[in-house]
Amino acid sequence: MPENTAGKLTMEKLVSLCQRRGFIFPSSDIYGGLSGCWDYGPVGIEFKRNVKEAWWRSIVQQRDDMVGVDTSIMMNSKVWEASGHVTNFSDPLVECKDCHLRWKADELTENKCPSCGGALTEERMFNTMFKTFIGPVEEEAAVVYLRPETAQGMFVNFQNIVNTSRKRLPFGIAQQGRAFRNEITTGNFIFRSREFEIMEFEYFVKPGTVEKWFDYWVEERFNWYLKLGIKKENLKLHQHPKEKLAHYARNCTDINYLFPHGWAELEGIVNRTDFDLKQHAAASGKSMEYFDDETKEHYVPYVIEPSLGADRAILAFLCDAYEEEPDKDEIRVVFHFHPDLAPIKVAVLPLSRKENLAAFAKDVYANLRPCFTTQYDDTQSIGRRYRRQDELGTPYCVTIDFQSLEDNMATIRERDSMNQIRVPVAALKNTLLAKLSGEDLFVLPEGGKIWKQSGND
Ligand code: ATP
């Protein structure tokens, strides 16, 4: 008997909804796709930009102890030799002797092929960095790697930042950008891809203070998800046992999320010690020391790195916001996105396409569009349009009806409660701005009068 998935989120439902509503498509779909690669559609790109911006605002723009950079994807190969990635950035690979499928050994629960049950080869290490050649000659000297993390671009720029930004310890360098890993197995939608985006920062601290800052960042990062609406019961911390740490790490705590396929890593917070800076100092011959003008000491800082895949965060936000609820004889599917993340903030829906009503509604739309990502939708019945906006996670729909032409009022319908309020068209912008920013007050422009919202608005 097939499992009853009514009311429950499965990866299949999410993948299909994401395709249907223009969030995410398989890459090169018309050619059968490319394993581990995905394309963001018109709605998905808005969502992704919002997730990245929420991170950038909280990590870089709203802090005094952080700067941002955008470093190149391809770097001198010596970077990856010094950082240890050429030797150590590997996963244990086993191959089925019968069907020849390849598996990541540490993800298998039994010592046989999960697909056909066949016997497996001995484990061997497989380096997951993509290799290519720079310039017109394909030879060993021209090898470059596609970065598997953005961190090294920040380490090699450490002195550039210290010299130009006047930041004193502790401070961080943050970056968002593409990363590439030739993962042995991909899957679970955008959870594990071969091309993805990483958002991470290196937080440099004085040696001896690293434990305190590590705990600080675990808490900060955990709270970031809560602030953006992730339910606490779907998050938990997982400390890595020492023998499972990456080659550069002394300590690592993951923030795990309860995805439809089970608990799995969402973000990793690592104490990378002074490993990377010292490796680069030794390999390049350039000093990576910092001069502490308070204690008059020279030392190489320690580093804490919270690192998160943008796509994995997107998957968590999608899963957490998804809900199916009974509505009359149907099922309402809705994404309860935090307003900061919602791809479309406001939809303007004229009740009919009649000329005078359409002209009125288009005026409202033109007035709102400079303030929020706004969509104009005049197709199908109003009920169908509400459902569509629910599936896009649009927090507010503004409905224009024939009475609007007479009283200059519009209806705001709220996504989560489905409550409706009537508001003067002249007050729409400020009302929506206040509602979207979670404020409990809104201002009517006439006379600057301040209105308190009633509890069930
Ligand atoms: P995993 O154990 O899942 O392979 P990892 O420990 O190798 O992850 P890190 O090197 O710590 O991952 O990468 C930092 C973050 O980047 C992860 O927490 C995850 O959010 C994201 N990430 C890593 N690999 C992928 C991938 N293949 N696809 C999407 N996101 C990824």
Side-chain angles (χ1 to χ4, degrees):
M1 268 242 315
E3 192 196 348
N4 180 4
T5 60
K8 204 171 113 189
L9 178 64
T10 61
M11 213 55 114
E12 291 70 32
K13 283 188 194 175
L14 188 65
V15 171
S16 132
L17 177 58
C18 282
Q19 279 206 49
R20 190 156 42 83
R21 288 289 171 229
F23 280 89
I24 299 165
F25 309 115
S27 157
S28 331
D29 204 8
I30 58 167
Y31 292 104
L34 178 66
S35 160
C37 298
W38 298 91
D39 295 344
Y40 285 79
V43 181
I45 180 62
E46 296 295 336
F47 191 55
K48 187 180 199 180
R49 287 169 65 109
N50 292 343
V51 170
K52 287 167 63 181
E53 262 178 54
W55 185 91
W56 193 258
R57 257 199 320 276
S58 102
I59 297 300
V60 182
Q61 293 173 337
Q62 293 182 352
R63 297 186 64 104
D64 290 330
D65 57 351
M66 201 74 79
V67 292
V69 289
D70 182 17
T71 68
S72 64
I73 288 175
M74 291 188 293
M75 303 175 78
N76 191 316
S77 293
K78 288 180 184 156
V79 169
W80 304 108
E81 284 157 24
S83 69
H85 282 76
V86 172
T87 332
N88 294 317
F89 199 72
S90 319
D91 283 333
L93 177 145
V94 286
E95 187 174 326
C96 173
K97 290 180 182 165
D98 293 339
C99 70
H100 298 288
L101 282 180
R102 292 176 166 190
W103 306 96
K104 207 175 154 199
D106 57 4
E107 281 181 350
L108 299 183
T109 46
E110 290 179 292
N111 192 22
K112 59 179 186 185
C113 174
S115 174
C116 75
L120 300 170
T121 58
E122 286 292 303
E123 225 176 271
R124 69 178 169 92
M125 294 314 277
F126 170 74
N127 195 302
T128 55
M129 280 201 296
F130 280 98
K131 240 185 201 182
T132 186
F133 300 95
I134 197 160
V137 192
E138 292 199 6
E139 59 177 36
E140 225 16 60
V143 164
V144 287
Y145 297 95
L146 300 186
R147 64 183 179 193
E149 57 170 35
T150 71
Q152 299 305 325
M154 300 187 267
F155 291 126
V156 299
N157 274 295
F158 175 70
Q159 293 296 16
N160 285 339
I161 306 292
V162 171
N163 294 337
T164 56
S165 71
R166 299 192 309 275
K167 291 283 174 220
R168 312 311 298 159
L169 291 187
F171 78 90
I173 308 178
Q175 166 152 238
Q176 300 180 332
R178 295 263 164 181
F180 304 83
R181 296 184 187 181
N182 196 5
E183 299 281 4
I184 298 171
T185 49
T186 56
N188 291 317
F189 196 23
I190 52 172
F191 177 81
R192 189 178 302 289
S193 314
R194 293 201 166 105
E195 175 178 345
F196 56 100
E197 266 189 75
I198 250 178
M199 316 196 276
E200 62 189 359
F201 58 93
E202 309 306 318
Y203 196 74
F204 299 95
V205 303
K206 186 175 177 176
T209 65
V210 72
E211 297 304 334
K212 176 183 91 181
W213 284 110
F214 188 85
D215 294 346
Y216 167 85
W217 278 114
V218 170
E219 193 179 333
E220 279 290 297
R221 294 301 308 141
F222 195 91
N223 288 337
W224 184 76
Y225 296 102
L226 299 182
K227 271 185 230 146
L228 289 171
I230 298 247
K231 295 172 207 79
K232 197 168 181 182
E233 65 268 25
N234 291 337
L235 289 172
K236 73 177 177 198
L237 297 177
H238 164 73
Q239 179 152 20
H240 280 237
K242 290 271 178 274
E243 66 279 7
K244 292 246 169 115
L245 292 176
H247 67 274
Y248 48 73
R250 178 167 302 169
N251 186 8
C252 176
T253 296
D254 289 341
I255 300 176
N256 286 359
Y257 179 76
L258 185 54
F259 290 98
H261 61 283
W263 286 100
E265 174 178 340
L266 173 58
E267 169 162 356
I269 299 146
V270 189
N271 170 1
R272 288 181 86 127
T273 69
D274 51 4
F275 175 84
D276 299 87
L277 288 181
K278 280 201 169 148
Q279 290 290 107
H280 289 307
S284 68
K286 303 279 179 347
S287 167
M288 289 290 168
E289 283 189 342
Y290 168 85
F291 177 65
D292 188 326
D293 28 19
E294 273 173 27
T295 62
K296 309 290 178 226
E297 294 167 278
H298 288 271
Y299 52 79
V300 177
Y302 268 49
V303 173
I304 295 145
E305 176 196 79
S307 174
L308 150 74
D311 314 80
R312 231 178 247 191
I314 286 166
L315 184 59
F317 285 122
L318 285 168
C319 294
D320 221 79
Y322 180 92
E323 197 185 13
E324 287 173 30
E325 49 182 48
D327 180 39
K328 299 186 191 119
D329 297 334
E330 293 182 3
I331 298 289
R332 174 171 102 111
V333 173
V334 54
F335 278 124
H336 296 284
F337 295 135
H338 186 285
D340 287 358
L341 303 185
I344 296 154
K345 313 289 187 212
V346 178
V348 176
L349 315 176
L351 215 53
S352 123
R353 283 182 173 171
K354 289 230 166 71
E355 214 174 291
N356 51 350
L357 198 69
F360 189 95
K362 284 202 171 132
D363 261 5
V364 170
Y365 172 58
N367 189 34
L368 296 180
R369 207 161 70 157
C371 305
F372 336 93
T373 322
T374 312
Q375 199 173 73
Y376 186 85
D377 186 2
D378 62 359
T379 55
Q380 298 181 309
S381 76
I382 191 73
R384 300 281 285 267
R385 282 182 271 166
Y386 283 150
R387 291 289 168 278
R388 184 157 54 232
Q389 294 301 331
D390 288 340
E391 287 191 349
L392 298 174
T394 307
Y396 297 103
C397 290
V398 171
T399 314
I400 310 293
D401 53 25
F402 287 101
Q403 210 190 323
S404 307
L405 300 178
E406 283 159 29
D407 62 7
N408 250 320
M409 306 272 278
T411 302
I412 299 178
R413 181 248 197 198
E414 202 261 334
R415 175 196 66 200
D416 297 342
S417 63
M418 293 190 278
N419 282 341
Q420 306 198 354
I421 53 167
R422 213 104 174 124
V423 171
V425 166
L428 265 179
K429 197 193 289 179
N430 283 341
T431 308
L432 290 165
L433 273 173
K435 281 177 171 289
L436 284 164
S437 61
E439 280 172 24
D440 166 36
L441 294 173
F442 62 91
V443 183
L444 289 185
E446 296 91 348
K449 196 168 175 186
I450 294 175
W451 292 63
K452 179 113 175 114
Q453 280 180 234
S454 67
N456 61 359
D457 272 353

